């Protein structure tokens, strides 16, 4: 049997992860655990579902790229930016 492997560099891995997560967030509420800049761990219920974004105030500038993802924290009803490489766990239920 022939086995095939895909080899990605770090930049390609981040791009794939960021795009996959954005797609997931557009249709689900996702529990994301990540390490903050200060070294502490945070869990957040986040989404990009249009029906959940209507009441969220837009503040500041977006840092979204393949290194960062901008999400709405549904408990605080505020925008947050997460470094893709700081994510340690993603939990979701497909509906």
């Amino acid at each position: 049997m022939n086995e095939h492997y895909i080899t990605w560099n770090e930049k390609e891995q981040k791009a794939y992860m960021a795009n996959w997560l954005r797609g997931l967030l557009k249709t689900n509420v996702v529990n994301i655990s990540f390490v903050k800049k200060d070294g502490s761990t945070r869990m957040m219920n986040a989404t990009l579902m249009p029906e959940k974004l209507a009441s969220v105030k837009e503040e500041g500038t977006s840092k979204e790229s393949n290194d960062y993802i901008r999400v709405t924290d549904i408990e605080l009803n505020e925008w947050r930016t997460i470094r893709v490489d700081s994510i340690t766990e993603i939990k979701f239920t497909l509906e």
Side-chain angles (χ1 to χ4, degrees):
M1 175 170 41
N2 290 336
E3 293 185 24
H4 300 279
Y5 298 95
I6 297 173
T7 305
W8 289 344
N9 62 38
E10 185 178 343
K11 184 177 179 180
E12 291 168 326
Q13 289 174 352
K14 279 185 187 177
Y16 180 83
M17 175 70 167
N19 289 324
W20 175 80
L21 186 52
R22 282 187 195 104
L24 185 64
L25 286 159
K26 288 178 183 177
T27 58
N28 295 279
V29 174
V30 179
N31 181 278
I32 302 172
S33 296
F34 60 98
V35 178
K36 294 171 51 173
K37 284 183 185 179
D38 67 6
S40 63
T41 300
R42 171 137 192 254
M43 290 175 47
M44 176 191 313
N45 287 317
T47 193
L48 291 174
M49 295 169 63
E51 61 270 23
K52 303 268 187 189
L53 302 180
S55 64
V56 180
K57 265 200 299 188
E58 183 62 47
E59 294 180 4
T61 58
S62 174
K63 289 185 177 181
E64 193 160 305
S65 68
N66 288 331
D67 294 320
Y68 294 91
I69 189 161
R70 191 141 160 91
V71 300
T72 299
D73 180 326
I74 63 168
E75 276 127 24
L76 297 176
N77 203 33
E78 296 176 350
W79 288 97
R80 293 289 184 256
T81 301
I82 302 170
R83 282 188 351 266
V84 173
D85 62 0
S86 73
I87 296 172
T88 58
E89 187 173 46
I90 297 170
K91 294 180 184 178
F92 60 96
T93 303
L94 295 176
E95 296 183 24

